[in-house]
Structures are given as C-alpha cells and as structure tokens.
Amino acid sequence: MADFWSMVGLVFKSMFVAGETVDDDSLPIKGLAKPENICLYAIAPFAANDPSGTAALDPFGQWLQKVLSDIPETAAVALDRHIVVNADVADPFLGIREANSGALNQARRQDASAVFWGRNNAEARLLDVHFINDTLNSPLYELLMPLVHSFRQPQHKDTAAAMRVLLVCEMLSQARGHDRRALQIAQLVSHVEDFQERIKNGEYFTDVGQGVATAYALGVVMLAETGERSYCVTAIRVLKPIVRNILKKIGEQPKEAKPEQKATGLLNQRAALPQATGTVTKIEDLLRNVADLALIDPEKSAILALYGTLLNWSMISNMNAGSAKEAIGIWKLLERRFELMAGTPVSRAVAIAKLGEAMMIHAKEIDDIETVEAANGHCRRALALINSRAHTVLYAQTAYGLAETVVAHSTISGISIPSEQVIPVFQAALKVCSRRDNPYLWGRAMFALGSVQFSVGASDKDIKLIGQARMNFSQAYDAFDEAGARGAARAASSSYTRSENIMHQLEQRQSIIDATGGASEAKAS
C-alpha cells in the first residue's frame, strides 16, 4: 500500500514539474531568461531582399537596434520579413491597417509588443518609419494608426532621440501599477523636455525631417492621456507648419498678389528690395479651401488627427485659448473624408466624437447654447456607430463626452443638472471601461460622476447622494494615483474634502432639526 501512495506522489510531482517546464518563458536573445518587466520590441528589415533571395543590407535596422539598446528594461527581436503596404487594395487605409496588423502579429509570435518597420522612399529621398503597438492598433487610436515618421537624415542624433520617444511610449502603455507608470512617465518626460526647450527657441527640425516633430507630438499625446498636458503647446507649434503645408497641397489656394513696389528717391527710382505686405494664411482659412478629399491619404489624415488631438487636449487644459476654430475645422474635414470616401465606421465615429468634444469645449468658452447642442448631437451620432462590446474603451470615452455635453448645457443655461439623464451615462461608461488598462479614463469618468452627484446633492441637501459622491471621489483619486496623474489626483482629493465638509454641515443641521422637533429648521437653514 505504501508503494502505491509513493507512486501516486511521483505521478503528481511529475505533473507539476511538467507544468513548470511548459511555462518556461525565455527570450530568443542570447539565451537569457526573460526579466519580469522587460519590454520586447521588434525591428523588421527596412530593405527588401533581391529577387534571388539574398538578404539586403539593412544599415538603418542595425543602427536602430544599437541606439535603442541604451534604454533599460528593453530588448529587441529581429523579424525576417520586409513589411510592405499592399498597393492593390482599393482603400489605402485598409492597406496600411493590414500591414500594421501583419507586422504586429509577426512580433507577437516572438513575444514582442511593438514593431518598427518601414522603407527607403527613394522618390522623396526619405526614410519612412512606421511604429505600431497594441495601443495604436486599438479603436481609440484608429486615426493615429497610419502615422509615418519621415526622416531626411536617418542616422542623425535627433532621429535617434525620436525613436527613443516612440519606444518609451510603448513602455508607458505596458506599465501597470502606480510605481511602474510613474517611472515610465518620468522617463518619457525626460526624453521630450529637450525637444520642448529647442522648440521654444524656434527649432522645427526641418533638416532632419518631420519625423522628429511627429514622434515628439505622439509622445506628448501619450503624456496628455496621463494628465500631463504642459507639452501640448510646443507640440502644436512644431506641427503647425507641417499641417499648413498639407492643407496647401490638398486645397485650392488663391493666387497671391505680388508686392507692389513704390517709387522712391529722385527721378522715381525704385527701391532695390521691395517690401512684401502679404500675411500668413490662417489654418481655418486653409481648411475652407480643401476641395478634393481624395488627396487626404492615410499619412496626411494621421498628422491632421494628431494635430487635432493636441488642440483638444490643450483646450481642455485652457492652455491654448482661441484654437477651437482650428480643432473644429480639422475634425469636420476628417469626418467628411471618412463619410464620403473610403473609411470604416470606427474611423468616422472617432472623428465625430472628437468634433463633439471640441465643440463642447468651445461652447463653454463662449457660453453658446446652440454650439453645445450641436456637440451633444455629434456625440450621439458617434455612439450610434460604435459597437459597445467590440470597442469598449471608445464607447466609454464617447459616452463620457455625451454626459459632459449635457452637464455643459445645464451650466450654460443656468438650470440644475438633470441627474436622471447624466448619472446613468457615466455609469455605463464606467461599466465598459477597464480601470486596470485605462486608469486615467476610468478616473475621469468616476470624477465626473462624483461631481454631478455632489452638485445635485448639495443643491437638494441630500446626504446620501453626497456620500456617494465622496466615495466616487475616493475611487477617482486611487485611479488617478495609479495612472500617475498627480494634478487630477489633487483635484479628486480636494473634492473629497469638500464633500466631507458639506456632509458634516448637513449632519449638524439634521441633528439640530431632530433635537428641536423641527422648530429651529429655518434658523439652521
């Protein structure tokens, strides 16, 4: 009998040992064991093999792996196939989406979560670099997915700095927990600060290529998603010449009149250097001159969407007042492009939701009821295009925007907030949004829900509703703290203290009413 039980023990031991060997997680790099928090990224060849199958030289791929190797807790894997966009696809957006998805699928087979791929653009004498990860491949970033970073000097130090920004963006998107996210936010800030100072001094990186500006702007958007929006203004500044150039190429521009030369000096002699009196055309004027939407290819649409996203974030932070017309014009243009030309419902939904957000912020600035009603209508249209089960985060963000338009309408109208309409919408957004994967978005929705409950509860002197608001402010604080959003966490903490104070006052009032039998209610009020 003892032999039987010993045999059973050996069987169980072998099962557990087998389970451990199956879960062995090793890197295909130098045979090292994979650390817990390592970020694996893939690099696809930037040069295609020749027809005979001989591998082509890939100096940029080798250089890229070298310059990114100094970032701690990262490792590179090499893909064996050159990624190309299928030119036979009728919709170019579908072609770039398939190429990005194919590259990401190849990377996942080697446990990598992001891919650098691209090609040498011989016609324009540029190196086009694509960067794709799970975040950019999600519906929430549908319009930024086709973004291309183009460089005139592929092995310049600014090109290396731009590539580091992109990789740290991936590390931030993979980070979980307060400590990890705070570490990656600080690392990304350290990489973008140098660019910010140089942009303030008037640099636009035109000699190196617009890829430096687009990589910097993408890093700033990732920081804005964590509540750090102090870099939005410089990102807008460095992107503005690129956006203006795009709009000039796709629009019908009126011929500029030559500057008039005035006669000066004796015998009506003309001045040697005529003085030009022309002015720079505003972006909102260029947007009105766009006629052929087919000229907006995926790369141009991604830059326009990146610029519009930065405008929205800067308006939310009240850092770039007066840019509402540009933002509204950008999102209207993109919405028309995806409505009339090729494009998925998700692409159009994102553009419409961003349009509603920009109009809602603008309505708050000018106190205009019609504008906020139009914003509400855009958010409702966007929700109708979104599948809440397939695109949960996008649905949650759009639902949050819809509820915000209702609150803004009540504030501008000077009426009480219809809590029976707003609270269920915020609750629906919280239900479909994951706090673990999107702590900042989840915290914003929870904070907004608590703000509505606090406003209505204080107005109606409802202790129970204020108690719910206090609890929601506490949860919003935890989510903001986890996301590394220190400013938002301070706001949630302040709102929590206010709700506690109001609850204490109302409880004292109620105790006085109970002690006096209601005789002193008027005095307590």
Side-chain angles (χ1 to χ4, degrees), residues 328-345:
I328 293 172
I330 290 286
W331 295 119
K332 282 184 176 180
L333 176 65
L334 291 176
E335 194 267 333
R336 281 193 296 123
R337 198 268 173 242
F338 292 116
E339 179 185 13
L340 301 179
M341 307 297 292
T344 65

Side-chain angles (χ1 to χ4, degrees), residues 123 179 215 218 240 268-269 278 281 285 287 302 313 329 332 350 379 399 409 426 448 471 500:
E123 297 180 0
D179 295 337
L218 183 60
K240 184 166 286 190
N268 291 332
Q269 294 178 352
T281 308
D285 296 330
L287 287 167
W313 277 120
K332 282 184 176 180
V350 173
C379 290
H409 185 276
F426 281 130
M471 180 180 65
E500 273 199 331

Side-chain angles (χ1 to χ4, degrees), residues 177-197:
H178 168 76
D179 295 337
R180 293 295 304 172
R181 290 185 65 85
L183 175 64
Q184 301 308 333
I185 289 172
Q187 186 172 196
L188 183 55
V189 166
S190 68
H191 282 82
V192 301
E193 274 185 344
D194 178 61
F195 283 130
Q196 184 189 44
E197 292 301 320

Side-chain angles (χ1 to χ4, degrees), residues 260-276:
E260 183 180 357
Q261 297 177 345
K262 296 181 179 180
T264 57
L266 297 175
L267 302 177
N268 291 332
Q269 294 178 352
R270 296 191 179 276
L273 297 175
Q275 297 180 353

Side-chain angles (χ1 to χ4, degrees), residues 61-77:
Q62 298 172 359
W63 174 84
L64 180 60
Q65 183 173 356
K66 181 180 178 181
V67 299
L68 295 180
S69 62
D70 60 351
I71 299 181
E73 298 184 344
T74 63
V77 297

Side-chain angles (χ1 to χ4, degrees), residues 252-523:
E252 296 179 352
Q253 300 302 321
K255 295 182 179 180
E256 297 182 0
K258 294 182 179 180
E260 183 180 357
Q261 297 177 345
K262 296 181 179 180
T264 57
L266 297 175
L267 302 177
N268 291 332
Q269 294 178 352
R270 296 191 179 276
L273 297 175
Q275 297 180 353
T277 59
T279 58
V280 178
T281 308
K282 295 181 179 180
I283 287 184
E284 51 262 35
D285 296 330
L286 294 174
L287 287 167
R288 285 191 289 267
N289 294 329
V290 176
D292 190 359
L293 298 176
L295 296 176
I296 306 178
D297 57 23
E299 179 182 351
K300 293 184 178 66
S301 71
I303 294 177
L304 293 175
L306 182 62
Y307 184 72
T309 302
L310 289 166
L311 289 175
N312 281 23
W313 277 120
S314 65
M315 290 190 297
I316 290 174
S317 302
N318 297 320
M319 297 174 60
N320 198 18
S323 59
K325 291 183 179 179
E326 286 187 17
I328 293 172
I330 290 286
W331 295 119
K332 282 184 176 180
L333 176 65
L334 291 176
E335 194 267 333
R336 281 193 296 123
R337 198 268 173 242
F338 292 116
E339 179 185 13
L340 301 179
M341 307 297 292
T344 65
V346 174
S347 301
R348 188 182 171 202
V350 173
I352 295 174
K354 292 291 187 181
L355 172 60
E357 181 182 62
M359 295 188 72
M360 184 266 294
I361 300 169
H362 184 49
K364 287 182 182 180
E365 292 177 351
I366 62 176
D367 290 334
D368 185 63
I369 293 292
E370 293 183 358
T371 304
V372 77
E373 288 177 350
N376 182 274
H378 291 312
C379 290
R380 291 181 184 277
R381 285 199 301 135
L383 275 179
L385 294 171
I386 301 171
N387 186 334
S388 60
R389 294 183 179 179
H391 311 128
T392 54
V393 181
L394 179 58
Y395 183 87
Q397 188 178 57
T398 308
Y400 169 84
L402 175 62
E404 282 287 291
T405 60
V406 177
V407 174
H409 185 276
S410 303
T411 303
I412 296 173
S413 303
I415 60 177
S416 59
I417 299 174
S419 57
E420 67 281 355
Q421 298 180 22
V422 177
I423 291 178
V425 179
F426 281 130
Q427 291 174 339
L430 291 167
K431 184 177 180 180
V432 300
C433 183
S434 169
R435 174 177 171 176
R436 179 180 181 274
D437 296 331
N438 304 277
Y440 183 69
L441 176 58
W442 192 92
R444 286 184 71 193
M446 184 61 75
F447 182 80
L449 173 60
S451 300
V452 172
Q453 291 173 332
F454 177 79
S455 177
V456 176
S459 177
D460 298 342
K461 297 181 175 58
D462 188 337
I463 297 179
K464 182 179 179 181
L465 195 58
I466 295 178
Q468 294 176 359
R470 183 184 64 170
M471 180 180 65
N472 291 337
F473 287 139
S474 177
Q475 295 187 58
Y477 172 85
D478 293 338
F480 287 141
D481 184 63
E482 182 181 349
R486 294 173 294 179
R490 287 193 296 267
S493 177
S494 176
S495 298
Y496 178 86
T497 304
R498 287 179 57 204
S499 61
E500 273 199 331
N501 293 337
I502 293 295
M503 281 188 65
H504 181 66
Q505 295 175 11
L506 292 178
E507 287 172 353
Q508 282 188 332
R509 175 180 179 273
Q510 187 62 39
S511 63
I512 295 174
I513 293 174
D514 295 339
T516 60
S520 302
E521 182 177 355
K523 294 182 180 180

